[in-house]
C-alpha cells in the first residue's frame, strides 16, 4: 500500500473515485495541511443545500423542546397525537441524516473523522430523557465547532450543554443544605464529576482520588437547566445559585474558593491543562490514527505538544501525522474498521451519488453500532477487539451484497472494475485474483466483503 492510500485511509473515511489522483496531484503534505484547516476547503453546494433543509439543526435546545416535544392534551384526536409523535422523531432523524451525509460526501474529511472521534469521547445517549431532541444540536454546538480547535474550548462546550447535563444527571446535582435542596433536587450526584475526570479528561489512571470526585461534584452543584428560558441562556443552561455549595474546596491539590460559576471554570482550566489529560487524549488519538496499542514514545511526544500548545488539537494531530510511527509501513491497512467506518467507506468507494441515508442508518443498526445510541458514557470503541467476531463478519459480508446491488442509492449495481480502480492498491493481489476468477455479477460484492476493505 502506498503512502497516498495510507493517508486517505486514516485522515478520511476512505477514498471516493478520483481521490487517489487528487492527492497524488496536490502532494501528501499539502493534503494533510488542507485537511487540518477545513475552512480552507469549499463545502459542496449540494451538501449545503441539503443541510439547509433540516431546520432542526438550526434551533436551540429550548426551541426544539417547544416545537417538537409532544404536549399532553386530552382533547386531541388520535390522528393529531400520531402526527405529534411523528414530528417528535424529526430532530433525531435529521441529525442522523446530516451526520451521514457529511461523512460520506464532505471534502472536509478530517473534520468529519474528528467529529466522530470527539462525539464518542464526549458521548451522550439519544434515548435518555429529552436528549433525542438535542442530539443534533449538541453535535452542532458542542462538538463540531471545536473538533480541530482547543481542547479546553471543546471541554467547556460539553460541560455547558443540556444534553450532557441530562445524560450524566448533573442537572439534579444539589448541595444538600442549600436553599434549593427540595423535591427532585435533594443531594449530591457524583455521576458527571466522575465521568468528567475518568472519561473526558484525566483518564482512569489519571491520579485523582475519590475525594477529588466528591470535590468536583460539589463544585458542579447548581450547574443545570432552565428549559423555560426564563432564567437560563438560549440553550437552556442555567446556574442555580440556590443549589450551589459555596464552601471552599480542595480539588487536585488546588484550593478553590467558593464563588459559584468561577469554580467550574477554574476546575475546567485545571482539567484541560493537566499532564494526565494530555497523556490520555494523546493515547486515544494515537490509538485511533495509528494502531490499537500505540507506542509510548509517540504518546509522550503528542502529550508534550498538547501541553506546549495549551491543548491545540490541530497542532497535536500535525505532530502525529509527521511522526515516524504514523508512517510505519507494517501498520498500513492494519487498523480494523468499526461498523461506522466500514459502511461509510463502502458507500464512498462505490461513488453513490444520492445515498439512501435511512438505509445506511439501518445497516449501522444491523451491525450493532446505531448512530447516537451508545448507552454507555465511554462511547463506541475503535479497536479490533471490540468489533471483530465471526457473527459480525457474516453480517458485513451480507451487507456488502446489498451495497453492491445498489440498494443504498439508485439501485444500480456497482461496477466492479470501476470499484477496483477506485480502491487501487488497497486491494491485494490475492483478492484481485479471486475476484477475476469469480462470476462477474458477484465481483463487486466480493470486493466490498473482502478482508482488504475491512481494514484501513
Amino acid at each position: 500500500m502506498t503512502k497516498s492510500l495510507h493517508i486517505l485511509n486514516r485522515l478520511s473515511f476512505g477514498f471516493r473515485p478520483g481521490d487517489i489522483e487528487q492527492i497524488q496531484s496536490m502532494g501528501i503534505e499539502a493534503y494533510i495541511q488542507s485537511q487540518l484547516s477545513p475552512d480552507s476547503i469549499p463545502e459542496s453546494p449540494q451538501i449545503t443545500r441539503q443541510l439547509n433543509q433540516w431546520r432542526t439543526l438550526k434551533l436551540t435546545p429550548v426551541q426544539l423542546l417547544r416545537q417538537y416535544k409532544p404536549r399532553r392534551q386530552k382533547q386531541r384526536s388520535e390522528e393529531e397525537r400520531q402526527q405529534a409523535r411523528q414530528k417528535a422523531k424529526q430532530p433525531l432523524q435529521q441529525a442522523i441524516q446530516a451526520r451521514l451525509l457529511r461523512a460520506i460526501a464532505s471534502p472536509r474529511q478530517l473534520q468529519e473523522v474528528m467529529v466522530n472521534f470527539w462525539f464518542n469521547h464526549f458521548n451522550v445517549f439519544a434515548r435518555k430523557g429529552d436528549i433525542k431532541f438535542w442530539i443534533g444540536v449538541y453535535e452542532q454546538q458542542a462538538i463540531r465547532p471545536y473538533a480541530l480547535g482547543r481542547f479546553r474550548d471543546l471541554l467547556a462546550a460539553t460541560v455547558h450543554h443540556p444534553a450532557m447535563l441530562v445524560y450524566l444527571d448533573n442537572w439534579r446535582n444539589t448541595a444538600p443544605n442549600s436553599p434549593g435542596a427540595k423535591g427532585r433536587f435533594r443531594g449530591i450526584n457524583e455521576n458527571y464529576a466522575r465521568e468528567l475526570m475518568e472519561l473526558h479528561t484525566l483518564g482512569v489512571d489519571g491520579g485523582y482520588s475519590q475525594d477529588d470526585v466528591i470535590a468536583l461534584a460539589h463544585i458542579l452543584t447548581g450547574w443545570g437547566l432552565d428549559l423555560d428560558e426564563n432564567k437560563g441562556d438560549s440553550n437552556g443552561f442555567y446556574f442555580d445559585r440556590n443549589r450551589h455549595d459555596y464552601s471552599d474546596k480542595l480539588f487536585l491539590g488546588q484550593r478553590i474558593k467558593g464563588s459559584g460559576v468561577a469554580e467550574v471554570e477554574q476546575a475546567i482550566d485545571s482539567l484541560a491543562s493537566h499532564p494526565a489529560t494530555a497523556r490520555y487524549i494523546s493515547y486515544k488519538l494515537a490509538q485511533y490514527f495509528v494502531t490499537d496499542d500505540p507506542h509510548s514514545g509517540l504518546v509522550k511526544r503528542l502529550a508534550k505538544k498538547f501541553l506546549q500548545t495549551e491543548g491545540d488539537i490541530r497542532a497535536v494531530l500535525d505532530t502525529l501525522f509527521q511522526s515516524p510511527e504514523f508512517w510505519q509501513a507494517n501498520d498500513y491497512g492494519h487498523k480494523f474498521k468499526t461498523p461506522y467506518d466500514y459502511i461509510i467507506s463502502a458507500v464512498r468507494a462505490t461513488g453513490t451519488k444520492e445515498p439512501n441515508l435511512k438505509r445506511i442508518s439501518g445497516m449501522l443498526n444491523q451491525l450493532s453500532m446505531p448512530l447516537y445510541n451508545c448507552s454507555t458514557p465511554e462511547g463506541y470503541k475503535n479497536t479490533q477487539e471490540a468489533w471483530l467476531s465471526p457473527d459480525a463478519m457474516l453480517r458485513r459480508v451480507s451487507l456488502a451484497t446489498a451495497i453492491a446491488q445498489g440498494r443504498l442509492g439508485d439501485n444500480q449495481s456497482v461496477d466492479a472494475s470501476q470499484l477496483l480502480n477506485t480502491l487501487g492498491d488497497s486491494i491485494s493481489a490475492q483478492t484481485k485474483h479471486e475476484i477475476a476468477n469469480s462470476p462477474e455479477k458477484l465481483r463487486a460484492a466480493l470486493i466490498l466483503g473482502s478482508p482488504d476493505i475491512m481494514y484501513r
Side-chain angles (χ1 to χ4, degrees):
M1 184 180 288
T2 67
K3 286 187 174 183
S4 297
L5 294 175
H6 178 60
I7 203 74
L8 282 168
N9 259 329
R10 299 298 171 94
L11 271 68
S12 78
F13 286 116
F15 6 98
R16 303 187 86 188
D19 278 359
I20 295 174
E21 292 78 6
Q22 180 189 19
I23 196 172
Q24 289 174 340
S25 174
M26 68 187 300
I28 290 173
E29 181 60 22
Y31 176 81
I32 292 173
Q33 295 307 317
S34 68
Q35 289 296 318
L36 285 168
S37 301
D39 289 344
S40 69
I41 305 172
E43 187 58 277
S44 159
Q46 180 184 359
I47 291 179
T48 302
R49 281 195 302 272
Q50 286 188 262
L51 290 174
N52 286 335
Q53 294 175 7
W54 295 318
R55 64 182 303 273
T56 63
L57 302 177
K58 301 179 179 67
L59 301 178
T60 67
V62 173
Q63 291 170 330
L64 286 162
L65 285 189
R66 288 177 177 173
Q67 297 181 33
Y68 289 90
K69 186 174 182 177
R71 304 298 176 193
R72 293 182 179 179
Q73 295 180 355
K74 292 183 179 179
Q75 66 270 29
R76 280 189 173 185
S77 66
E78 178 56 34
E79 182 180 355
E80 288 173 326
R81 287 195 290 269
Q82 178 64 21
Q83 289 175 349
R85 287 192 290 269
Q86 290 301 316
K87 184 178 181 182
K89 296 178 181 179
Q90 290 180 18
L92 177 57
Q93 290 172 343
Q94 292 183 10
I96 291 172
Q97 290 176 312
R99 165 75 88 84
L100 293 175
L101 175 67
R102 282 168 158 150
I104 293 166
S106 176
R108 301 171 178 178
Q109 278 290 288
L110 180 59
Q111 182 178 49
E112 298 311 311
V113 167
M114 292 307 297
V115 166
N116 181 54
F117 175 88
W118 287 123
F119 192 98
N120 280 310
H121 184 82
F122 293 104
N123 182 55
V124 297
F125 179 41
R127 294 186 185 178
K128 182 170 182 178
D130 289 331
I131 296 176
K132 58 181 171 290
F133 299 107
W134 301 332
I135 204 84
V137 74
Y138 171 70
E139 183 172 294
Q140 286 284 105
Q141 295 175 338
I143 304 295
R144 184 169 292 278
Y146 312 105
L148 287 161
R150 292 195 177 277
F151 180 77
R152 202 275 183 203
D153 297 334
L154 172 62
L155 177 64
T158 63
V159 169
H160 284 83
H161 206 277
M164 182 63 74
L165 296 176
V166 168
Y167 177 51
L168 292 176
D169 305 314
N170 200 81
W171 70 284
R172 292 184 177 181
N173 187 16
T174 303
N177 298 319
S178 63
K182 53 189 175 182
R184 56 188 175 181
F185 305 106
R186 284 200 174 272
I188 295 295
N189 189 305
E190 298 177 6
N191 287 1
Y192 185 37
R194 187 178 309 281
E195 306 302 1
L196 184 53
M197 288 192 283
E198 179 177 325
L199 296 177
H200 297 172
T201 54
L202 306 176
V204 67
D205 299 319
Y208 63 89
S209 67
Q210 175 61 19
D211 287 342
D212 290 315
V213 174
I214 294 171
L216 184 55
H218 281 262
I219 289 169
L220 287 164
T221 50
W223 198 260
L225 309 173
D226 180 352
L227 296 171
D228 294 324
E229 207 177 7
N230 296 326
K231 301 175 184 176
D233 64 18
S234 60
N235 284 337
F237 169 78
Y238 174 60
F239 173 69
D240 189 341
R241 297 176 180 275
N242 288 327
R243 295 194 291 112
H244 184 66
D245 176 357
Y246 278 91
S247 66
D248 294 349
K249 292 94 175 172
L250 185 64
F251 177 61
L252 297 176
Q254 293 183 318
R255 182 70 61 182
I256 293 184
K257 184 174 178 56
S259 54
V261 171
E263 296 175 49
V264 181
E265 297 299 333
Q266 190 175 341
I268 294 173
D269 287 339
S270 296
L271 290 168
S273 61
H274 200 285
T277 298
R279 289 193 299 271
Y280 181 57
I281 299 301
S282 296
Y283 178 87
K284 289 194 70 173
L285 288 170
Q287 185 183 66
Y288 183 85
F289 284 101
V290 182
T291 182
D292 286 0
D293 186 20
H295 191 275
S296 60
L298 172 61
V299 175
K300 288 178 181 177
R301 293 198 305 278
L302 297 180
K304 182 179 179 180
K305 178 62 70 172
F306 185 102
L307 294 172
Q308 287 175 339
T309 61
E310 298 181 340
D312 186 329
I313 299 165
R314 182 180 287 106
V316 174
L317 286 176
D318 193 24
T319 300
L320 191 157
F321 299 147
Q322 307 298 335
S323 71
E325 290 87 350
F326 180 78
W327 294 105
Q328 285 283 350
N330 57 356
D331 283 333
Y332 288 11
H334 281 76
K335 181 73 179 168
F336 191 69
K337 293 178 181 178
T338 68
Y340 183 82
D341 294 334
Y342 169 66
I343 292 295
I344 300 300
S345 67
V347 178
R348 283 176 59 79
T350 62
T352 303
K353 290 187 168 43
E354 295 185 8
N356 187 316
L357 302 176
K358 184 176 180 180
R359 288 184 182 174
I360 294 169
S361 177
M363 286 190 171
L364 289 172
N365 295 344
Q366 292 179 57
L367 294 177
S368 302
M369 198 178 185
L371 197 53
Y372 304 129
N373 269 301
C374 180
S375 61
T376 54
E378 64 265 27
Y380 289 122
K381 299 184 184 302
N382 69 76
T383 57
Q384 176 171 300
E385 181 183 20
W387 297 110
L388 180 57
S389 70
D391 178 64
M393 294 303 291
L394 282 174
R395 292 186 186 187
R396 290 194 189 198
V397 171
S398 175
L399 292 176
T401 302
I403 296 171
Q405 292 171 348
R407 293 182 189 171
L408 295 186
D410 53 12
N411 292 319
Q412 295 292 317
S413 296
V414 174
D415 186 311
S417 59
Q418 182 178 332
L419 184 59
L420 275 177
N421 185 57
T422 297
L423 296 171
D425 292 337
S426 66
I427 303 298
S428 67
Q430 180 181 352
T431 299
K432 288 179 179 177
H433 176 77
E434 295 292 335
I435 292 165
N437 288 286
S438 301
E440 187 171 346
K441 64 179 181 179
L442 297 179
R443 290 177 183 175
L446 289 172
I447 296 168
L448 293 170
S450 69
D452 309 81
I453 206 170
M454 301 296 174
Y455 291 82
R456 58 180 178 86

